[in-house]
Amino acid sequence: MCFLFLSCTPLFTSATTTTVQGLQPRCESHIFNNGKHYRSCKDLPVLDSFLHFSYARETGVLDVAYRHANLESSSWIAWAINPTKKGMLGAQALVAYRNSTSGVMRAYTSNINSYATMLQESPLSFRVTQVSAEYLDGEMTIFATMVLPPNTTVVNHLWQDGPLKEGDRLGMHAMSGDHLKS
Ligand SMILES: *[C@@H]1O[C@H](CO)[C@@H](O)[C@H](O)[C@H]1NC(C)=O
Ligand SMILES: *[C@@H]1O[C@H](CO)[C@@H](O)[C@H](O)[C@H]1NC(C)=O
């Protein structure tokens, strides 16, 4: 987890993105297949992840895309804001995975209240609309619009990936370094 400073101007992006397969295109140069466009983006420090967003502070409306590169299709991803504290408990998450039978992406919200969570669908503490996801060229992305309390300027955010098990159950994420740093 780390702090994300929301603003209407582009954020400084981290130069520490690590990749396994050479240089990952930085988030500024990414073009979304569905034509979506965001004012700001941030290369996240671990898990080949990128956060694209447009934020209107006066209304709290946050239009966001969380993108995870270099990912197997049999994976789930999640991106969350924790409005009350750091870490996983209380996190208000967006979750996505690809249905292994139909190939159709499923994207939904999950209010995380236990370390033993199965990331089951539940409403968040704030309004979320237009949740969708795509999997393309080894990248999985969740798109959503969230309504934060007006004038929010700093949030705790966290992100994760894990394996999809038999019957499309969401398996536990790894407990190694980057999965704990995220
Ligand atoms: C995946 O898609 C199949 C076929 O449409 C459906 O029967 C199944 O319930 C879906 N699985 C999940 C976990 O949503
Ligand atoms: C947001 O901040 C502005 C400027 O500081 C203030 O005028 C406005 O009343 C605040 N809005 C809310 C909902 O707190």
Side-chain angles (χ1 to χ4, degrees), residues 57-58 150-151:
R57 202 194 68 175
E58 323 75 58
N151 285 338

PDB file of all heavy atoms in Angstrom, residues 57-58 150-151, ligand 2:
ATOM      1  N   ARG A  57     -11.948  17.155  -7.647  1.00  0.00           N
ATOM      2  CA  ARG A  57     -11.944  17.269  -6.191  1.00  0.00           C
ATOM      3  C   ARG A  57     -13.252  17.830  -5.626  1.00  0.00           C
ATOM      4  O   ARG A  57     -13.734  17.398  -4.588  1.00  0.00           O
ATOM      5  CB  ARG A  57     -10.776  18.167  -5.759  1.00  0.00           C
ATOM      6  CG  ARG A  57     -10.357  17.936  -4.321  1.00  0.00           C
ATOM      7  CD  ARG A  57      -9.457  19.041  -3.837  1.00  0.00           C
ATOM      8  NE  ARG A  57     -10.201  20.291  -3.739  1.00  0.00           N
ATOM      9  CZ  ARG A  57      -9.702  21.416  -3.258  1.00  0.00           C
ATOM     10  NH1 ARG A  57      -8.455  21.472  -2.878  1.00  0.00           N
ATOM     11  NH2 ARG A  57     -10.440  22.505  -3.207  1.00  0.00           N
ATOM     12  N   GLU A  58     -13.836  18.812  -6.344  1.00  0.00           N
ATOM     13  CA  GLU A  58     -15.039  19.481  -5.831  1.00  0.00           C
ATOM     14  C   GLU A  58     -16.216  18.510  -5.715  1.00  0.00           C
ATOM     15  O   GLU A  58     -17.059  18.641  -4.839  1.00  0.00           O
ATOM     16  CB  GLU A  58     -15.473  20.632  -6.754  1.00  0.00           C
ATOM     17  CG  GLU A  58     -14.342  21.437  -7.378  1.00  0.00           C
ATOM     18  CD  GLU A  58     -13.643  20.698  -8.518  1.00  0.00           C
ATOM     19  OE1 GLU A  58     -14.325  20.336  -9.494  1.00  0.00           O
ATOM     20  OE2 GLU A  58     -12.425  20.462  -8.425  1.00  0.00           O
ATOM     21  N   PRO A 150     -16.484  14.697  -1.263  1.00  0.00           N
ATOM     22  CA  PRO A 150     -15.917  15.870  -1.923  1.00  0.00           C
ATOM     23  C   PRO A 150     -14.702  16.395  -1.167  1.00  0.00           C
ATOM     24  O   PRO A 150     -14.634  16.287   0.053  1.00  0.00           O
ATOM     25  CB  PRO A 150     -17.057  16.889  -1.907  1.00  0.00           C
ATOM     26  CG  PRO A 150     -18.289  16.070  -1.813  1.00  0.00           C
ATOM     27  CD  PRO A 150     -17.926  14.849  -1.029  1.00  0.00           C
ATOM     28  N   ASN A 151     -13.743  16.932  -1.901  1.00  0.00           N
ATOM     29  CA  ASN A 151     -12.517  17.519  -1.337  1.00  0.00           C
ATOM     30  C   ASN A 151     -11.537  16.489  -0.789  1.00  0.00           C
ATOM     31  O   ASN A 151     -10.598  16.866  -0.097  1.00  0.00           O
ATOM     32  CB  ASN A 151     -12.832  18.568  -0.264  1.00  0.00           C
ATOM     33  CG  ASN A 151     -13.335  19.861  -0.890  1.00  0.00           C
ATOM     34  OD1 ASN A 151     -13.088  20.132  -2.058  1.00  0.00           O
ATOM     35  ND2 ASN A 151     -14.053  20.645  -0.109  1.00  0.00           N
TER      36      ASN A 151
HETATM   37  C1  LIG B   2     -14.428  21.987  -0.743  1.00  0.00           C
HETATM   38  O1  LIG B   2     -13.405  22.952  -0.613  1.00  0.00           O
HETATM   39  C2  LIG B   2     -13.793  24.242  -1.091  1.00  0.00           C
HETATM   40  C3  LIG B   2     -12.587  25.135  -1.080  1.00  0.00           C
HETATM   41  O2  LIG B   2     -11.779  24.915   0.041  1.00  0.00           O
HETATM   42  C4  LIG B   2     -14.949  24.760  -0.238  1.00  0.00           C
HETATM   43  O3  LIG B   2     -15.358  26.023  -0.704  1.00  0.00           O
HETATM   44  C5  LIG B   2     -16.116  23.785  -0.336  1.00  0.00           C
HETATM   45  O4  LIG B   2     -17.160  24.178   0.522  1.00  0.00           O
HETATM   46  C6  LIG B   2     -15.671  22.378   0.056  1.00  0.00           C
HETATM   47  N1  LIG B   2     -16.759  21.458  -0.210  1.00  0.00           N
HETATM   48  C7  LIG B   2     -17.169  20.558   0.692  1.00  0.00           C
HETATM   49  C8  LIG B   2     -18.318  19.696   0.281  1.00  0.00           C
HETATM   50  O5  LIG B   2     -16.654  20.434   1.792  1.00  0.00           O
END
